[in-house]
Amino acid sequence: MAFSKTLRRLVLAAATFAATSPSYALDLSGQTVTVLVPFGEGGGSDTLARFLQPFLKDALPGKPNVVVLNKPGGGSVTGVNGWVGSAKADGTDILVGSTSSWVPFVFGSSTVKYDPSAMRPVVGFPRVSVFYTNPERTGVKGASTKQGVDELRGATLLKGAEAPLSLDTGDLVALHMLDIPHRAVFGMSTSEQRRAFLNGEVSANNDSLAAYLDITKSEGPERVSPLFVLGGVDGNGKAKRIDGLPDVMTFEELYEATNGQAPSGPEYKTYQVMHYLRTNLAKSIMLPPGTPDDIVTAYVTAFQALERNAKYINGMKANLEVESFVYGQDMVDAFAGISGFGAEERSAVEAYMRETHGVALK
Amino acid sequence: MFDPLVSSLAIIANTTHLLMLTTGVVLGLIVGVLPGLGGSAGLALLLPFIYGMDPAPALAMMVGLLAVTTTSDTFPAVLMGIPGTAGSQATVLDGFPMSKRGEATRAISAGLVSSIFGGVIGAIVLSIALVFAEPLLRRIGFSEQLMLIVFALSMVGMMTGTSHFKGLASCGLGLMLGAFGAAPITGVERLGFGTEYLIEPIPMIIVGLGLFAIPEIVSLARQQTAISESGRLKAGWLAGLRDWKNNWWLSLRCAIIGCLGGALPGIGGSVIDWIAYGHAIQTTKNPERYGTGDVRGVIAPESANNAKEGGALIPTLIFGIPGSGNMAILLGGFILIGIQPGLSMIRDNGDVVYSVVWSLALANILGAGFCLLFARYIAWLTTIPYLLIAPFMIGLIYFASFQATRGWGDLVAMFVLGILGVYLKRFGWSRPALLIGFVLAPQIESNVYRASTIYGWEMFTRPIVLVLIGLTILSVVSVMRRRVPESVHKTAACTYANTVPQKAFFILLAGFAAYVFTDGFGYNFLTGTFQVVAGGASLVFMVPLGIQLFLGSRTSCHFDEEGALEAHGVRVSGEHYVAVLAFFLACVGLFGFLVGAGFFIGAFLVWKARVRVHWAVMSGAAFSLFLFFIAYQLNLQYPTGLLNRLLPFWP
């Protein structure tokens, strides 16, 4: 009697389970998803993670508890190293990927113990940026033309850069390819570069579209003139313009307009890799290497479903400056794009740094 | 033009707003009082709830939180000698000796009143600066920043202690410690010894705690008294208020220093309290009394560190460029509530901007008010036998250091710098001078390079630069005039017969400087130069110091605290407590941080303080529970130990 009762309950439970189990292979109910931010509190990645936290909680199958874990140190390398080593491939550990983590990988830093192309990207949040100059310092307005470049060749641009081997290397190489005389001040963070441009201490800067629009609004066209845009790279490896600034050329178009042929060679390859890093790979959500396809799919589905949530879209686009949402093959392509920085590119950058800036990279 | 100042008053004067502000203030007080946690950890907690909120109450909550962390951090600084945030390091210097005299209440009430005053001055300056400061801020370029740093560095002269060479060499030591980690100009890894931990500079919080908190814990534990040496607590609530009233002019000057330091780029928030402290020594009577428990040494930094937040808000609101680490995360909050800081916001959303000003002022008053309510009760801690408190303090300090990068590396760095701090204290090296050197090192390096690359000699033709040079000369002259002459004191510490330990320590430091100096030549110019200069400068001061130390007998540089301690009949050696600190690491290595810290506390209480086992076990468990609670709230993952690896269920 007692036995059959137990049996009946078991059968009932099994039937209920079968009927209610979700169509995803992934069920995170009762679990905790840890979002790793490889930086301390504050800053872009942390803000993004904390913004996503409540949305993810509702969007993921099983409505898991979602927590943000900050692991600062080593300019984000420490956090990502640790994450790759310890993250479980069951969908409970995700990473906020950002440019800062991929740049040291591209430059072959010995401390990096991860390969981003082995990770499983879920969604990318590309940003776009604008390279602009200060006409008050250069005497050149409307620089994004062949004539503008010709005139700029008579001036010397002063630009801040984080380090000789950094994201900003791409901008410097671009100026070099355009034959625009320039000097670099190394060791400046993004916000220090912005401030120095505002103060008129440097005459060129590369910043996000939102920051560019803001600075144009407050300073006026007399002090801000766009040279070229970095609107991201499409699936064919072609640089895109920015919809909001249709008249400003990409670096590739500007180069072709001035030199009559498309850019090529290891220096251009360097620029292109930095372009991927700065735009397509600005921010992303990653699952650890070895995560099964069905879990990746469940995550992608959850993020795609979020796009129907107006509150999420508004926050991402208006507040967090996210241009678009990129999934699947496009993300894989972007990571493939940064593999282009090899030995030839490195020695080209070393030669350029030595000859133009007198900096030895050893 | 101040219309919004009035209309914004309507925004904040409603229940929701005040409720949010109070919530922020209470949270801020809590994270401020816990060593290692600052405003950014607290703000990060709020961020997920901010999106979608009305801007004004959200701002009130965030500003309320940020405004008061430097109010409540006065408690650990004064009562325990532990700087709770970087802003209260200078407070320790005089606040803690006051506690030792049984004057904790007086020190705290003077500090809190200074905090209120500084905070309100900060809000007033902010409200004016939002209208007028923009053109001035634009003139602060790299050459001006460099001169500001040189000016800040001149304060070292006020903090050298009795031996000037030793003080300057201490500063050199700080510069060398500041050279660790990737070079700020080239990003090349430098003095990293192949470790991942030293890709970034040594965290400020760890240097501060290692130099100031650990040596105090060790020396108090050795003396086995309560913090208040008499074991009693003098009433001093009103005395503190009177102290502030008598020094209101000093407090005002320091508040202005705080505002300026927060608003101007270059120096960074963490030396502002030291500049205020140095300024107090330079401009008041009886400079020799600072460091021995002079209340002015509490008023000066406490006035400055609360005013700093108002100052740091100026560039944050005007340019959208963060004035400090706290401001960086506040900007994140701004983004989430859809506010784009900048000149256009000040023009178009004046109400919202000025509601920040009001919130700031109100939060400072509220925060200090809450603290005053509790001050009397918390101050009793100083009358408890120290051996009962010490293990908790050690646990808290390791917890604080762990906040830096949330890993094992922090605990090890804390231990190493703690040992350094213990011997620096013992042999009379100036820890404030070291700290100033450490904090300014990266700034000096970057700004010398930037100013010379951009301006060359032209930098000396800029008007603000000239003003700053003038100020620096004034400061140096006042250092020269006011410094206490090097005289040989006949104290037990100076006449201690066994000079071998201090000579050995000197040789160790000189060897370190020589290593840093020569190692620098192995890098390219932009990477290695700073290291060469820092090591070289240290050697320049160390050579005459060494000559004095080895050849002279009974000169002003001879100092060994052991002499004084032996006279007091202290038996337990400093090395014994260094071993105790190592034992803590061993516990963590075995049990993981959560359980290990509790185990350490229990063991310490039984063996050292002779507490009954069941009480000791309960105390240890309570601490672990407390750690668990914080980890749960802030989502921290503590360093794991051997047992965590072997047993998957181990907490």
Side-chain angles (χ1 to χ4, degrees), chain A residues 41-42 50 53 68 71 74-75 78 81 113 163 183 186-187 192 198-199 201 219 223 311 315 319 360 362, chain B residues 44 48 51 138 140-142 184-186 196 200 321 329 335-336 404-406 449-450 453 455 524 635 637:
Chain A
E41 289 88 354
R50 288 174 196 277
Q53 194 181 345
V68 176
K71 175 71 184 98
T78 307
N81 275 347
K113 298 194 188 89
R183 287 197 299 142
F186 297 107
E192 284 171 329
L198 275 171
N199 288 353
E201 296 198 286
E219 306 294 295
R223 301 196 65 214
K311 201 178 164 195
N319 300 6
K362 278 280 165 281
Chain B
Y51 177 63
R138 278 183 192 260
I140 307 296
F142 293 123
I185 300 167
T186 58
E196 211 176 86
E200 282 188 352
I321 291 171
I329 189 163
I335 289 169
L336 290 183
T405 75
R406 314 258 163 96
Y449 161 75
R450 290 171 188 174
T453 307
Y455 296 102
N524 66 50
N635 192 42
Q637 279 179 6

Side-chain angles (χ1 to χ4, degrees), chain B residues 26 376 465 524:
Chain B
V26 170
R376 276 199 276 186
V465 169
N524 66 50

Side-chain angles (χ1 to χ4, degrees), chain B residues 290-436:
Chain B
Y290 285 91
T292 61
D294 189 315
V295 73
R296 294 171 300 179
V298 175
I299 292 173
E302 286 302 310
S303 306
N305 69 15
N306 276 59
K308 177 183 76 191
E309 298 299 330
L313 272 168
I314 297 170
T316 312
L317 292 174
I318 291 185
F319 297 122
I321 291 171
S324 68
N326 280 348
M327 291 303 144
I329 189 163
L330 185 66
L331 272 180
F334 280 167
I335 289 169
L336 290 183
I337 49 181
I339 289 184
Q340 180 67 51
L343 286 170
S344 41
M345 173 183 76
I346 295 173
R347 272 197 303 269
D348 308 339
N349 287 327
D351 294 2
V352 174
V353 174
Y354 279 98
S355 80
V356 170
V357 177
W358 285 110
S359 300
L360 183 68
L362 210 56
N364 271 291
I365 297 169
L366 265 177
F370 281 138
C371 288
L372 277 173
L373 285 180
F374 297 114
R376 276 199 276 186
Y377 308 102
I378 299 181
W380 281 106
L381 276 175
T382 56
T383 61
I384 298 172
Y386 195 71
L387 281 180
L388 292 176
I389 303 181
F392 295 97
M393 292 302 128
I394 293 173
L396 266 183
I397 282 174
Y398 275 114
F399 168 80
S401 69
F402 156 77
Q403 299 308 320
T405 75
R406 314 258 163 96
W408 255 103
D410 297 321
L411 304 184
V412 176
M414 178 81 255
F415 178 64
V416 173
L417 284 163
I419 296 176
L420 178 68
V422 166
Y423 289 105
L424 288 170
K425 180 172 189 281
R426 173 171 167 184
F427 301 126
W429 290 68
S430 169
R431 290 167 289 154
L434 192 159
L435 198 78
I436 294 177

Side-chain angles (χ1 to χ4, degrees), chain A residues 55 58 304-315:
Chain A
F55 291 103
D58 287 338
Q304 280 170 335
L306 271 179
E307 286 191 50
R308 292 191 293 274
N309 181 336
K311 201 178 164 195
Y312 166 81
I313 291 291
N314 282 340

Side-chain angles (χ1 to χ4, degrees), chain B residues 248-573:
Chain B
W248 69 271
W249 173 227
L250 173 69
S251 178
L252 178 64
R253 293 193 319 260
C254 291
I256 305 267
I257 290 176
C259 291
L260 286 173
L264 301 178
I267 317 183
S270 39
V271 275
I272 288 168
D273 53 330
W274 288 110
I275 296 178
Y277 188 79
H279 171 77
I281 305 181
Q282 275 179 337
T283 55
T284 52
K285 286 180 190 152
N286 312 323
E288 72 285 351
R289 282 181 37 202
Y290 285 91
T292 61
D294 189 315
V295 73
R296 294 171 300 179
V298 175
I299 292 173
E302 286 302 310
S303 306
N305 69 15
N306 276 59
K308 177 183 76 191
E309 298 299 330
L313 272 168
I314 297 170
T316 312
L317 292 174
I318 291 185
F319 297 122
I321 291 171
S324 68
N326 280 348
M327 291 303 144
I329 189 163
L330 185 66
L331 272 180
F334 280 167
I335 289 169
L336 290 183
I337 49 181
I339 289 184
Q340 180 67 51
L343 286 170
S344 41
M345 173 183 76
I346 295 173
R347 272 197 303 269
D348 308 339
N349 287 327
D351 294 2
V352 174
V353 174
Y354 279 98
S355 80
V356 170
V357 177
W358 285 110
S359 300
L360 183 68
L362 210 56
N364 271 291
I365 297 169
L366 265 177
F370 281 138
C371 288
L372 277 173
L373 285 180
F374 297 114
R376 276 199 276 186
Y377 308 102
I378 299 181
W380 281 106
L381 276 175
T382 56
T383 61
I384 298 172
Y386 195 71
L387 281 180
L388 292 176
I389 303 181
F392 295 97
M393 292 302 128
I394 293 173
L396 266 183
I397 282 174
Y398 275 114
F399 168 80
S401 69
F402 156 77
Q403 299 308 320
T405 75
R406 314 258 163 96
W408 255 103
D410 297 321
L411 304 184
V412 176
M414 178 81 255
F415 178 64
V416 173
L417 284 163
I419 296 176
L420 178 68
V422 166
Y423 289 105
L424 288 170
K425 180 172 189 281
R426 173 171 167 184
F427 301 126
W429 290 68
S430 169
R431 290 167 289 154
L434 192 159
L435 198 78
I436 294 177
F438 171 77
V439 175
L440 293 179
Q443 314 281 357
I444 297 171
E445 179 172 11
S446 313
N447 281 297
V448 167
Y449 161 75
R450 290 171 188 174
S452 60
T453 307
I454 295 180
Y455 296 102
W457 295 110
E458 220 177 280
M459 78 169 107
F460 296 106
T461 59
R462 291 167 66 96
I464 299 180
V465 169
L466 293 175
V467 172
L468 287 168
I469 291 177
L471 274 178
T472 309
I473 292 174
L474 264 180
S475 164
V476 172
V477 168
S478 102
V479 169
M480 299 303 219
R481 281 187 45 218
R482 306 189 116 249
R483 73 177 179 189
V484 187
E486 285 198 16
S487 58
V488 184
H489 301 283
K490 286 280 177 275
T491 57
C494 301
T495 56
Y496 189 58
N498 182 4
T499 56
V500 174
Q502 51 181 313
K503 285 173 182 161
F505 186 64
F506 169 82
I507 289 175
L508 214 68
L509 293 183
F512 172 63
Y515 173 77
V516 169
F517 178 72
T518 47
D519 181 67
F521 289 104
Y523 299 100
N524 66 50
F525 182 75
L526 286 178
T527 306
T529 305
F530 179 73
Q531 194 181 325
V532 171
V533 171
S538 308
L539 287 173
V540 165
F541 299 126
M542 280 178 177
V543 168
L545 178 65
I547 293 173
Q548 270 187 330
L549 197 60
F550 282 90
L551 301 182
S553 62
R554 307 275 170 272
T555 57
S556 54
C557 68
H558 283 109
F559 187 92
D560 191 334
E561 247 182 16
E562 290 307 303
L565 290 171
E566 264 180 19
H568 277 88
V570 171
R571 296 254 179 74
V572 194
S573 71

Side-chain angles (χ1 to χ4, degrees), chain A residues 113-173:
Chain A
K113 298 194 188 89
Y114 50 83
D115 176 359
S117 60
M119 297 178 193
R120 307 294 312 266
V122 174
V123 54
F125 308 118
R127 291 189 186 169
V128 296
S129 75
V130 183
F131 188 106
Y132 51 92
T133 59
N134 181 348
E136 238 176 49
R137 294 281 306 273
T138 61
V140 184
K141 280 184 192 170
S144 188
T145 55
K146 179 181 183 329
Q147 193 198 345
V149 172
D150 284 340
E151 289 177 36
L152 277 177
R153 284 174 178 164
T156 299
L157 288 182
L158 194 56
K159 184 173 183 315
E162 208 174 311
L165 280 185
S166 67
L167 191 62
D168 299 320
T169 311
D171 301 334
L172 298 176
V173 167

